[in-house]
Amino acid sequence: MTIAERTREQFRARPTAPSPQTAPPRPEAPLQTEYRPRHPLDLRRTVMFQRRGANDPTMTMSGAVIWRASRTPAGVATLALTDAGSGVIRAAAWGPGREWAIAHVPDLCGARDDPHGFAAERHPLVAEASRRMPGLRLSRTDGVFDALACAIFEQKVTGMQAFAAWRRIVSGFGETAPGPTPRAMAAPPDIDGWRDIPSWAWHRAGLEPPQSKTVVRAARRGRSIVRAVEAAADGEAVDRVLVSQPGIGPWTSAETRIRALGDPDAVSVGDFHLAHEVGYALAGARTDDDGMLALLEPWNGQRQRVIRLLAASGVREPRRGPRLHPEDHRSR
């Protein structure tokens, strides 16, 4: 039975009361560890960057705890991270992928992020942001296909539309997150699951055909894409792998590199807002992609780090136009 068929059965099924003779299952004991980073770490700024909208079913923050549901090579896992103070990050994980999730806590917290040679002093705003936020690290998930699918969702639409479609598809066709999550959470579908999502579900989720078809096409080659990306020597090699796929361009490749690989130099050329924001922050006026790349050239090799610091600085170009209210075509 495909994921789509199972989902339709779930929609049709009526909940039944548990038998009084059946004892409730014992909760799974989590795998736990403590991570002590060798660098300053702002856990929230670093890890919550991976969240896709306030209602992302794969990620949330409840109190001081960051919860993340993910698909690992060993299966689904739920990870809970807490900053315990004194340089200690406590981690707990549930599910068949819990060992993988625990082993990758340092990567998620930016342990492989190397700021060596980063010259923040080349611009006063970058220098001030770097001084105020020494714990901002570049996180990586190592979930190449999940990051790629999510980036495709965000092609040529507003963030609000993309996040809503992501929530509907992952909640409907992903896998329920194990463990005592603070709300209903789910991990994304596996590669076969992305391929098997029916066309009506994409439409009802609000994702346009160009994006949904690109996700499905990529899923058909998903495992070979992941292997090629993981074997790539650098960001340019990753770009060559990804942009060779139909419907995937430099923007989608850069977004995948940023989230899955923590690439410190990836720049999302073609973004609707990014060039304007970088231009305003560094030069006091909006610019285009070429102008943005010229402004970022002094930090070649660390351009994504500059972009993250600028975004965290709070400096924004004043909004002059009305907010866009996209149409909802799902009922048509």
Side-chain angles (χ1 to χ4, degrees), residues 13-299:
R14 294 181 178 179
T16 57
S19 168
Q21 288 80 26
T22 302
R26 295 181 62 185
E28 175 190 34
L31 186 63
Q32 300 183 67
T33 192
E34 288 187 348
Y35 167 54
R36 300 173 185 268
R38 299 179 180 178
H39 49 77
L41 175 63
D42 186 327
L43 183 68
R44 188 176 187 278
R45 287 187 188 275
T46 298
V47 176
M48 290 301 286
F49 173 77
Q50 299 287 353
R51 183 173 65 171
R52 311 315 298 144
N55 296 310
D56 185 351
T58 72
M59 199 163 193
T60 192
M61 190 162 188
S62 178
V65 184
I66 295 173
W67 294 84
R68 183 170 186 269
S70 63
R71 185 168 292 282
T72 80
V76 171
T78 299
L79 180 68
L81 296 174
T82 310
D83 188 341
S86 302
V88 175
I89 305 299
R90 290 180 181 154
W94 295 261
R98 60 187 179 274
E99 292 185 3
W100 190 97
I102 287 289
H104 282 73
V105 164
D107 287 352
L108 191 63
C109 293
R112 280 206 266 175
D113 177 24
D114 183 8
H116 180 73
F118 175 56
E121 69 276 4
R122 288 175 177 164
H123 191 283
L125 179 58
V126 177
E128 174 63 14
S130 181
R131 184 192 66 79
R132 288 194 297 108
M133 293 173 282
L136 190 155
R137 309 287 295 184
L138 303 186
S139 168
R140 62 182 289 160
T141 66
D142 291 291
V144 173
F145 197 85
D146 290 347
L148 174 60
C150 191
I152 294 169
F153 272 63
E154 297 178 28
Q155 292 176 346
K156 300 179 182 179
V157 296
T158 66
M160 180 175 64
Q161 289 172 295
F163 298 158
W166 173 258
R167 181 180 70 250
R168 293 172 185 129
I169 289 293
V170 172
S171 297
F173 294 88
E175 189 168 340
T176 300
T181 57
R183 61 173 173 82
M185 296 180 67
D190 61 13
I191 290 175
D192 292 335
W194 284 114
R195 188 183 60 213
D196 292 340
I197 295 172
S199 58
W200 59 263
W202 294 110
H203 177 72
R204 291 182 64 182
L207 200 68
E208 296 297 319
Q211 285 75 52
S212 62
K213 290 177 180 177
T214 298
V215 173
V216 172
R217 277 197 302 263
R220 292 186 184 124
R221 306 178 178 91
R223 291 179 179 81
S224 61
I225 291 173
V226 171
R227 285 194 297 269
V229 167
E230 291 175 344
D234 53 28
E236 291 185 0
V238 173
D239 278 344
R240 287 194 292 272
V241 171
L242 294 179
V243 301
S244 68
Q245 306 301 317
I248 298 174
W251 183 91
T252 305
S253 179
E255 289 290 305
T256 304
R257 288 164 54 193
I258 290 165
R259 300 183 186 284
L261 307 176
D263 192 320
D265 196 46
V267 180
S268 302
V269 173
D271 190 275
F272 186 76
H273 296 291
L274 184 61
H276 298 164
E277 298 290 359
V278 170
Y280 183 81
L282 295 180
R286 60 168 50 197
T287 187
D288 57 13
D289 282 335
D290 290 338
M292 173 180 66
L293 294 174
L295 288 169
L296 293 172
E297 179 59 30
W299 296 281

